[in-house]
Coordinates of all heavy atoms in Angstrom, one line a residue:
Chain V
L118 N 134.1 -133.4 -197.9 CA 134.0 -134.9 -197.9 C 134.9 -135.6 -198.9 O 135.7 -136.4 -198.5 CB 132.5 -135.3 -198.1 CG 132.2 -136.8 -198.0 CD1 132.7 -137.4 -196.7 CD2 130.7 -137.0 -198.1
K119 N 134.7 -135.2 -200.2 CA 135.6 -135.7 -201.2 C 137.1 -135.4 -200.8 O 138.0 -136.2 -201.0 CB 135.3 -135.2 -202.6 CG 136.0 -135.9 -203.7 CD 135.6 -135.4 -205.1 CE 136.4 -136.0 -206.2 NZ 136.1 -135.4 -207.5
G120 N 137.3 -134.2 -200.3 CA 138.6 -133.7 -200.0 C 139.3 -134.6 -198.9 O 140.4 -134.9 -199.0
V121 N 138.5 -135.0 -197.9 CA 139.0 -135.9 -196.9 C 139.4 -137.2 -197.5 O 140.4 -137.8 -197.2 CB 138.0 -136.0 -195.7 CG1 138.4 -137.1 -194.8 CG2 138.0 -134.7 -194.9
W122 N 138.5 -137.7 -198.3 CA 138.8 -139.0 -199.0 C 140.0 -139.0 -199.8 O 140.9 -139.8 -199.7 CB 137.6 -139.5 -199.8 CG 138.0 -140.6 -200.8 CD1 138.5 -141.8 -200.4 CD2 138.0 -140.6 -202.2 NE1 138.8 -142.6 -201.5 CE2 138.5 -141.8 -202.6 CE3 137.7 -139.6 -203.1 CZ2 138.7 -142.1 -204.0 CZ3 137.8 -139.9 -204.5 CH2 138.3 -141.2 -204.9
L123 N 140.2 -137.9 -200.6 CA 141.3 -137.8 -201.5 C 142.6 -137.7 -200.6 O 143.6 -138.3 -200.9 CB 141.2 -136.6 -202.4 CG 140.2 -136.8 -203.6 CD1 140.1 -135.4 -204.3 CD2 140.7 -137.9 -204.6
C124 N 142.6 -136.9 -199.6 CA 143.7 -136.8 -198.7 C 144.1 -138.1 -198.2 O 145.3 -138.5 -198.2 CB 143.5 -135.8 -197.6 SG 143.5 -134.1 -198.1
M125 N 143.2 -138.9 -197.6 CA 143.5 -140.2 -197.1 C 144.0 -141.1 -198.1 O 145.0 -141.9 -197.9 CB 142.2 -140.8 -196.4 CG 141.9 -140.1 -195.1 SD 141.0 -141.3 -194.0 CE 139.4 -141.4 -194.8
K126 N 143.4 -141.1 -199.3 CA 143.9 -141.9 -200.4 C 145.4 -141.9 -200.6 O 146.1 -142.9 -200.7 CB 143.1 -141.6 -201.7 CG 143.4 -142.4 -202.9 CD 142.6 -141.8 -204.1 CE 143.0 -142.4 -205.4 NZ 142.5 -143.7 -205.7
Y127 N 145.9 -140.6 -200.7 CA 147.3 -140.5 -201.0 C 148.2 -140.5 -199.7 O 149.3 -141.0 -199.8 CB 147.5 -139.2 -201.8 CG 146.9 -139.3 -203.2 CD1 145.7 -138.7 -203.5 CD2 147.5 -140.1 -204.2 CE1 145.1 -138.8 -204.7 CE2 146.9 -140.3 -205.4 CZ 145.6 -139.6 -205.7 OH 145.0 -139.8 -206.9
E128 N 147.6 -140.1 -198.6 CA 148.4 -140.1 -197.4 C 148.7 -141.6 -197.0 O 149.8 -142.0 -196.6 CB 147.7 -139.4 -196.2 CG 147.6 -137.9 -196.4 CD 146.5 -137.3 -195.6 OE1 145.7 -138.0 -195.0 OE2 146.3 -136.0 -195.7
I129 N 147.6 -142.4 -197.1 CA 147.7 -143.8 -196.6 C 148.7 -144.6 -197.5 O 149.5 -145.3 -196.9 CB 146.3 -144.5 -196.7 CG1 145.4 -143.9 -195.5 CG2 146.4 -146.0 -196.6 CD1 144.0 -144.4 -195.6
K130 N 148.7 -144.3 -198.8 CA 149.7 -145.0 -199.6 C 151.1 -144.7 -199.1 O 152.0 -145.6 -199.1 CB 149.6 -144.5 -201.1 CG 148.4 -145.1 -201.8 CD 148.3 -144.6 -203.2 CE 147.0 -145.1 -203.9 NZ 146.9 -144.8 -205.3
Q131 N 151.4 -143.5 -198.8 CA 152.7 -143.1 -198.3 C 153.0 -143.8 -196.9 O 154.0 -144.3 -196.6 CB 152.9 -141.6 -198.2 CG 154.2 -141.1 -197.6 CD 155.4 -141.6 -198.3 OE1 155.4 -141.9 -199.5 NE2 156.5 -141.9 -197.5
M132 N 152.0 -143.7 -196.0 CA 152.1 -144.3 -194.7 C 152.4 -145.8 -194.7 O 153.1 -146.3 -193.9 CB 150.9 -144.0 -193.8 CG 150.9 -142.5 -193.4 SD 149.4 -142.1 -192.5 CE 149.6 -140.4 -192.2
L133 N 151.7 -146.5 -195.7 CA 151.9 -147.9 -195.8 C 153.4 -148.2 -196.2 O 153.9 -149.2 -195.7 CB 151.0 -148.5 -196.9 CG 149.5 -148.6 -196.5 CD1 148.6 -149.0 -197.7 CD2 149.3 -149.6 -195.3
K134 N 153.9 -147.4 -197.0 CA 155.4 -147.6 -197.4 C 156.3 -147.5 -196.2 O 157.3 -148.1 -196.1 CB 155.8 -146.5 -198.4 CG 155.3 -146.7 -199.8 CD 155.9 -145.6 -200.7 CE 155.0 -145.4 -201.9 NZ 155.3 -144.1 -202.6
Q135 N 155.9 -146.7 -195.2 CA 156.7 -146.5 -194.0 C 156.3 -147.4 -192.9 O 157.0 -147.4 -191.8 CB 156.5 -145.0 -193.5 CG 156.8 -144.0 -194.4 CD 156.4 -142.6 -194.0 OE1 156.3 -141.6 -194.8 NE2 156.0 -142.5 -192.7
G136 N 155.2 -148.2 -193.1 CA 154.8 -149.1 -192.0 C 153.9 -148.6 -191.0 O 153.7 -149.2 -190.0
G137 N 153.3 -147.4 -191.2 CA 152.3 -146.8 -190.3 C 152.2 -145.3 -190.3 O 153.0 -144.6 -191.0
G138 N 151.3 -144.9 -189.5 CA 151.0 -143.4 -189.4 C 149.7 -143.2 -188.7 O 149.0 -144.2 -188.4
T139 N 149.4 -142.0 -188.5 CA 148.1 -141.7 -187.9 C 147.4 -140.5 -188.6 O 148.1 -139.5 -189.0 CB 148.2 -141.3 -186.4 OG1 149.2 -140.2 -186.3 CG2 148.7 -142.4 -185.5
I140 N 146.1 -140.6 -188.7 CA 145.3 -139.6 -189.4 C 144.2 -139.2 -188.5 O 143.6 -140.0 -187.8 CB 144.7 -140.2 -190.7 CG1 145.9 -140.6 -191.7 CG2 143.7 -139.3 -191.3 CD1 145.4 -141.3 -192.9
V141 N 143.9 -137.9 -188.5 CA 142.7 -137.4 -187.8 C 142.0 -136.5 -188.8 O 142.5 -135.6 -189.5 CB 143.1 -136.5 -186.6 CG1 141.8 -135.8 -186.0 CG2 143.7 -137.4 -185.5
N142 N 140.7 -136.8 -189.0 CA 139.9 -136.1 -189.9 C 139.0 -135.1 -189.2 O 138.5 -135.4 -188.1 CB 139.0 -137.1 -190.7 CG 139.8 -138.0 -191.6 OD1 140.8 -137.5 -192.2 ND2 139.5 -139.2 -191.7
M143 N 138.7 -134.0 -189.8 CA 137.9 -133.0 -189.1 C 136.4 -133.3 -189.5 O 136.0 -133.1 -190.6 CB 138.3 -131.6 -189.6 CG 137.4 -130.5 -189.1 SD 137.3 -130.6 -187.3 CE 138.5 -129.3 -186.9
S144 N 135.7 -133.7 -188.5 CA 134.3 -133.8 -188.6 C 133.6 -132.7 -187.8 O 134.2 -131.6 -187.8 CB 133.8 -135.2 -188.2 OG 132.4 -135.3 -188.3
S145 N 132.6 -133.0 -187.1 CA 131.9 -131.9 -186.4 C 130.9 -132.6 -185.5 O 130.4 -133.7 -185.7 CB 131.2 -131.0 -187.3 OG 130.3 -130.1 -186.6
A146 N 130.5 -131.9 -184.4 CA 129.4 -132.4 -183.6 C 128.2 -132.5 -184.4 O 127.4 -133.4 -184.3 CB 129.1 -131.4 -182.4
I147 N 128.0 -131.6 -185.4 CA 126.9 -131.7 -186.3 C 127.2 -132.7 -187.5 O 126.5 -132.7 -188.5 CB 126.4 -130.4 -186.8 CG1 127.4 -129.5 -187.4 CG2 125.6 -129.7 -185.7 CD1 126.9 -128.2 -188.0
G148 N 128.2 -133.6 -187.3 CA 128.3 -134.8 -188.1 C 127.5 -135.9 -187.5 O 127.3 -137.0 -188.1
L149 N 127.1 -135.7 -186.2 CA 126.4 -136.7 -185.5 C 124.9 -136.3 -185.1 O 124.1 -137.2 -184.9 CB 127.1 -137.0 -184.2 CG 128.5 -137.7 -184.4 CD1 129.4 -137.5 -183.2 CD2 128.3 -139.2 -184.7
V150 N 124.6 -135.1 -185.1 CA 123.2 -134.6 -185.0 C 123.0 -133.6 -186.0 O 123.9 -133.0 -186.6 CB 123.0 -134.0 -183.6 CG1 123.2 -135.0 -182.5 CG2 123.9 -132.8 -183.3
G151 N 121.7 -133.3 -186.3 CA 121.3 -132.3 -187.3 C 121.4 -130.9 -186.8 O 121.6 -130.6 -185.6
L152 N 121.5 -130.0 -187.8 CA 121.4 -128.5 -187.4 C 120.5 -127.9 -188.5 O 120.8 -128.0 -189.7 CB 122.8 -127.9 -187.4 CG 122.7 -126.4 -187.0 CD1 122.4 -126.2 -185.5 CD2 124.1 -125.7 -187.3
K153 N 119.5 -127.2 -188.1 CA 118.6 -126.5 -189.1 C 119.4 -125.5 -189.9 O 120.2 -124.8 -189.3 CB 117.5 -125.8 -188.3 CG 116.4 -126.8 -187.8 CD 115.2 -126.0 -187.2 CE 115.4 -125.8 -185.7 NZ 114.2 -125.1 -185.1
G154 N 119.2 -125.6 -191.2 CA 119.9 -124.6 -192.1 C 121.2 -125.0 -192.5 O 122.0 -124.2 -193.1
S155 N 121.6 -126.3 -192.2 CA 123.0 -126.7 -192.5 C 123.0 -128.1 -193.2 O 123.7 -129.0 -192.8 CB 123.8 -126.7 -191.2 OG 125.1 -126.9 -191.5
P156 N 122.2 -128.3 -194.3 CA 122.1 -129.6 -194.8 C 123.4 -130.2 -195.4 O 123.7 -131.3 -195.2 CB 121.0 -129.5 -195.9 CG 120.9 -128.0 -196.2 CD 121.3 -127.3 -195.0
A157 N 124.0 -129.4 -196.2 CA 125.2 -129.9 -196.9 C 126.4 -130.1 -195.9 O 127.1 -131.1 -196.0 CB 125.7 -128.9 -198.0
Y158 N 126.6 -129.1 -195.0 CA 127.6 -129.2 -194.0 C 127.5 -130.4 -193.1 O 128.4 -131.2 -193.0 CB 127.7 -127.9 -193.2 CG 128.9 -127.8 -192.3 CD1 130.1 -127.4 -192.8 CD2 128.8 -128.2 -190.9 CE1 131.2 -127.3 -191.9 CE2 129.9 -128.1 -190.1 CZ 131.1 -127.7 -190.6 OH 132.2 -127.6 -189.8
T159 N 126.2 -130.6 -192.6 CA 126.0 -131.8 -191.7 C 126.2 -133.1 -192.5 O 126.8 -134.0 -191.9 CB 124.6 -131.7 -191.1 OG1 123.6 -131.6 -192.1 CG2 124.4 -130.6 -190.1
A160 N 125.7 -133.1 -193.7 CA 125.9 -134.3 -194.5 C 127.3 -134.6 -194.8 O 127.8 -135.8 -194.7 CB 125.1 -134.2 -195.8
S161 N 128.1 -133.6 -195.1 CA 129.5 -133.8 -195.4 C 130.2 -134.3 -194.1 O 131.1 -135.2 -194.2 CB 130.1 -132.5 -195.9 OG 130.3 -131.5 -194.9
K162 N 129.9 -133.7 -193.0 CA 130.6 -134.1 -191.8 C 130.2 -135.5 -191.3 O 131.0 -136.2 -190.7 CB 130.4 -133.1 -190.7 CG 131.0 -131.7 -191.0 CD 132.5 -131.8 -191.3 CE 133.2 -130.5 -191.5 NZ 134.7 -130.6 -191.7
G163 N 128.9 -135.9 -191.5 CA 128.5 -137.2 -191.2 C 129.2 -138.2 -192.1 O 129.6 -139.3 -191.6
G164 N 129.4 -137.9 -193.3 CA 130.1 -138.7 -194.2 C 131.6 -138.9 -193.8 O 132.2 -140.0 -193.9
V165 N 132.2 -137.8 -193.3 CA 133.6 -137.9 -192.8 C 133.7 -139.0 -191.7 O 134.7 -139.7 -191.6 CB 134.1 -136.5 -192.3 CG1 135.4 -136.7 -191.5 CG2 134.3 -135.6 -193.5
I166 N 132.7 -139.0 -190.8 CA 132.7 -140.0 -189.7 C 132.7 -141.4 -190.3 O 133.5 -142.3 -189.9 CB 131.6 -139.8 -188.7 CG1 131.9 -138.5 -187.9 CG2 131.4 -141.0 -187.8 CD1 130.8 -138.1 -187.0
Q167 N 131.9 -141.7 -191.3 CA 131.8 -143.0 -191.8 C 133.1 -143.4 -192.6 O 133.5 -144.5 -192.6 CB 130.5 -143.2 -192.7 CG 129.3 -143.4 -191.8 CD 129.4 -144.6 -190.9 OE1 130.0 -144.5 -189.9 NE2 128.7 -145.7 -191.3

Side-chain angles (χ1 to χ4, degrees):
Chain V
L118 184 52
K119 187 180 177 186
V121 167
W122 165 59
L123 286 173
C124 285
M125 286 209 287
K126 179 181 168 80
Y127 294 103
E128 290 157 358
I129 288 171
K130 283 182 187 183
Q131 175 59 29
M132 288 176 178
L133 286 173
K134 285 185 203 160
Q135 302 168 193
T139 52
I140 294 173
V141 172
N142 296 320
M143 178 53 100
S144 178
S145 170
I147 52 175
L149 292 159
V150 294
L152 181 72
K153 286 187 267 185
S155 190
Y158 188 81
T159 54
S161 71
K162 295 301 185 181
V165 166
I166 288 176
Q167 285 301 77

